[in-house]
């Protein structure tokens, strides 16, 4: 295990003091908003969940924001960050250090009952059985870190997000304020809909659909829509029926209003046949002229591709 003195030196000071060349070659600055309050500032990808970049990792860890807001376990955020943005030190460059098994078990003990109330269970990829024991291997835990005086740096204030105030778990689309330790509200990026953007983003699917419901429950936010027209599909056969679109973030971007018709552009997961909505996706309220415009873009791009061959 890491001794107290070694843990303090590794976590509190050593990363910041490495030569720039060493840091650049092996580690990178933690950029995941939820994990910026951790007592380490350098991480290494791929992480323990096999995310190759922090951009991929942030989309996955954000699914736990609502659960963090319940205050179900003071160890949850530490554990998640140790998995998604693991500490990278000069002594352990080849393989990121894992959180200790006891940290996982405490987080699971406190939070799995909350998850089960909403028909979710502890994720298999966060299984505690795969982690080292504190006294039998190299691992990190909150109790091995000396914290400065003041509030707990990785404490999640339940007052910032109270999922029990809404029938949806962890929050409904009108209560998007559980953004992380700094309490920032979600901000959806504006994506301009023109042919240049359409060609560059290379959307897998384009549909006209009426939004029935937007859900932000548990770890997989979704939108339920009635598909009225399929303008483009690539990997997945999209029927004209009620389907579920899967958000990559609990921020629910792009925003959809139930009862409205939209033209929606997004991506497909070929392995799971899921239709995805990410920050580059477009959702604009439907207008016939917009639909005609996108269909012309499809024809022009199709001819362009044929011309290359």
């Amino acid at each position: 295990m890491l001794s107290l003195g070694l843990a303090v030196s590794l976590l509190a000071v050593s990363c910041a003091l490495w030569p720039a060349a060493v840091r650049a070659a092996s580690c990178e600055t933690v950029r995941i908003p939820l994990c910026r309050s951790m007592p380490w500032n350098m991480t290494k990808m791929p992480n323990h969940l096999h995310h190759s970049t922090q951009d991929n990792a942030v989309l996955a860890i954000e699914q736990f924001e609502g659960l963090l807001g319940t205050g179900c376990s003071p160890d949850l955020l530490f554990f998640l960050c140790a998995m998604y943005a693991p500490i990278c030190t000069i002594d352990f460059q080849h393989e990121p250090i894992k959180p200790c098994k006891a940290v996982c078990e405490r987080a699971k003990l406190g939070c799995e009952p909350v998850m089960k109330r909403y028909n979710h269970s502890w994720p298999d990829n966060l299984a505690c059985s795969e982690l080292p024991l504190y006294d039998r291997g190299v691992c990190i835990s909150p109790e091995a870190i000396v914290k400065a005086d003041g509030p707990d740096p990785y404490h999640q204030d339940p007052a910032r997000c109270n999922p029990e105030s809404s029938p949806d778990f962890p929050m409904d689309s009108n209560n998007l304020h559980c953004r992380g330790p700094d309490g920032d509200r979600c901000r959806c990026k504006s994506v301009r809909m023109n042919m240049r953007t359409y060609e560059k983003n290379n959307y897998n699917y384009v549909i006209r659909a009426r939004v029935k419901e937007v859900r932000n429950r548990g770890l997989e936010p979704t939108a339920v829509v009635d598909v009225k027209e399929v303008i483009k599909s690539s990997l997945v056969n999209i029927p004209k029926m009620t389907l579920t679109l899967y958000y990559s973030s609990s921020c629910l971007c792009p925003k959809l209003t139930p009862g409205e018709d939209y033209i929606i552009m997004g991506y497909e997961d070929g392995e799971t046949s899921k239709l995805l909505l990410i920050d580059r996706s477009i959702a604009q309220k439907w207008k016939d002229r917009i639909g005609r415009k996108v269909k012309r873009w499809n024809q022009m791009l199709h001819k362009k591709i044929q011309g290359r061959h």
Side-chain angles (χ1 to χ4, degrees), residues 101-122:
K101 183 178 181 180
V103 182
C104 176
E105 290 175 337
R106 292 197 301 264
K108 180 179 179 180
L109 180 66
C111 297
E112 190 171 39
V114 177
M115 299 170 69
K116 285 184 175 179
R117 291 203 315 245
Y118 301 93
N119 299 317
H120 290 278
S121 57
W122 190 257

Side-chain angles (χ1 to χ4, degrees), residues 172-192:
D172 62 22
S173 58
N174 297 316
N175 191 28
L176 299 176
H177 63 285
C178 304
R179 188 58 181 149
D182 55 4
D184 287 343
R185 288 180 178 270
C186 294
R187 293 184 180 90
C188 294
K189 296 179 181 178
S190 177
V191 183
R192 182 173 296 180

